Amino acid sequence: MKIRFILLFVLITALCLSFSACGDGETVDSNDALSDSALDTNAVDGTDTESTHTSDTLADTDPESTVKNIVIGNTDISNFSIVAPGDDAVALTIADYFAEKVKAFTGNEMSIVETAENSAAAVVIGNTAITPDFGIGEDEFIIKAEEDKLYISYDEGASAYQAVTAILDDVLFSDENAVEDTYSLSSDYEFIGKCGDYVIGDNEFNPFE
């Protein structure tokens, strides 16, 4: 009788261990399923991240940063070069200002050269071989457009930078004078003024005083 009881106990114990092993197997399978699910979720998250990044990039695009056109007379600024004497610091500073403005507006980089042919479209700054005699008076400057030329001339030794840039900011690079995205200067434009009228004292705003 005792032997039967012992055998029955051993059988029950064996069955319990068997069920426990089956349970462990199911747990492993469940973990595998969860792991696969996590991988799938990561894949979806990766796609979402890419989409979000693309949206952020588009959102960072400034709608105001559209390309603008600049026209002098009837000629697009992309056809112009800048002519400035290499030994005239005022002319070179104005040339840099003009080139930077054009690049900011249109994306075009203007070349700055010391000489050019009369037939070439050019922004002519200072006293060059192709600068007409405008009869500039003491401390005077002139900004004059003639067909495919824009002349910027001034009395030698005058502090012309402040005066010239102030006028160009008002008449060529001003949003108020633009038609849609085109900034233009008529072929008969002319302005004569005194450099001293635009100088703001002896400080950092007047580097040539």
Side-chain angles (χ1 to χ4, degrees), residues 138-168:
E138 184 179 355
D139 196 42
E140 284 187 345
F141 73 98
I142 183 172
I143 299 175
K144 182 176 177 61
E146 288 184 358
E147 297 181 353
D148 58 357
K149 296 285 193 302
L150 177 63
Y151 295 102
I152 300 172
S153 191
Y154 41 84
D155 180 32
E156 186 177 354
S159 300
Y161 176 81
Q162 192 75 34
V164 167
T165 56
I167 298 304
L168 290 176

Side-chain angles (χ1 to χ4, degrees), residues 24-40:
D24 290 342
E26 290 175 0
T27 302
V28 171
D29 291 341
S30 176
N31 287 338
D32 289 342
L34 289 173
S35 178
D36 292 341
S37 175
L39 290 174
D40 291 341

Side-chain angles (χ1 to χ4, degrees), residues 34-148:
L34 289 173
S35 178
D36 292 341
S37 175
L39 290 174
D40 291 341
T41 302
N42 288 336
V44 172
D45 287 344
T47 304
D48 289 343
T49 302
E50 185 177 352
S51 299
T52 303
H53 177 71
T54 303
S55 299
D56 290 343
T57 302
L58 293 174
D60 289 340
T61 303
D62 184 2
E64 298 298 326
S65 62
T66 55
V67 175
K68 301 173 176 63
N69 302 313
I70 297 176
V71 177
I72 297 175
N74 296 315
T75 307
D76 189 87
I77 199 67
S78 60
N79 297 305
F80 281 70
S81 62
I82 300 174
V83 182
D87 58 354
D88 185 341
V90 175
L92 292 174
T93 307
I94 295 173
D96 286 340
Y97 148 85
F98 200 97
E100 288 173 7
K101 280 284 192 178
V102 170
K103 184 176 181 180
F105 275 54
T106 69
N108 293 326
E109 294 198 19
M110 298 187 72
S111 59
I112 301 175
V113 298
E114 291 194 29
T115 59
E117 299 294 331
N118 267 317
S119 59
V123 178
V124 184
I125 305 172
N127 184 22
T128 74
I130 60 174
T131 303
D133 182 5
F134 291 114
I136 299 291
E138 184 179 355
D139 196 42
E140 284 187 345
F141 73 98
I142 183 172
I143 299 175
K144 182 176 177 61
E146 288 184 358
E147 297 181 353
D148 58 357

